[in-house]
Amino acid sequence: MASKRVKIAGRVQGVSYRAWTEERAVGLGLDGWVRNRSGGWVEALFAGDQDLVEQILAECLEGPRAARVEAVEVLAENEASEPGFRVLPTE
């Protein structure tokens, strides 16, 4: 098991990025969460099989069609996560 909390910067709010992330994470069987941040970026925690966590990080560089991702920065690793994947309120 691995986990990574990331900051996703660029045009990532108002383009269904959170819904897209939730759909992809659930499809991969990952635990964690995603939320908008008041600074205009998206924060997410992905937890699960190391290869699947790396896969979703690579996919986050693209995001949904309307997004324009500039960077995906790892903020922390090996954080605990509750089972399941959810969208959290903006913080």
Side-chain angles (χ1 to χ4, degrees):
M1 290 291 284
S3 74
K4 294 191 179 185
R5 184 167 48 91
V6 297
K7 174 182 180 178
I8 304 158
R11 190 174 78 191
V12 293
Q13 291 190 10
V15 294
S16 300
Y17 201 97
R18 289 176 300 163
W20 174 88
T21 302
E22 179 184 31
E23 181 180 312
R24 291 300 306 133
V26 168
L28 292 171
L30 295 172
D31 297 325
W33 48 262
V34 62
R35 66 178 163 207
N36 282 343
R37 295 301 301 243
S38 59
W41 48 283
V42 169
E43 182 180 26
L45 173 68
F46 302 110
D49 177 81
Q50 176 74 39
D51 290 339
L52 296 176
V53 170
E54 294 300 326
Q55 178 179 335
I56 199 163
L57 293 180
E59 291 179 14
C60 282
L61 285 167
E62 293 293 320
R65 187 169 291 160
R68 295 293 175 262
V69 178
E70 294 172 4
V72 175
E73 174 187 348
V74 176
L75 301 174
E77 296 187 39
N78 302 317
E79 289 187 9
S81 177
E82 295 179 14
F85 197 91
R86 62 200 182 284
V87 176
L88 299 179
T90 299
E91 196 174 277

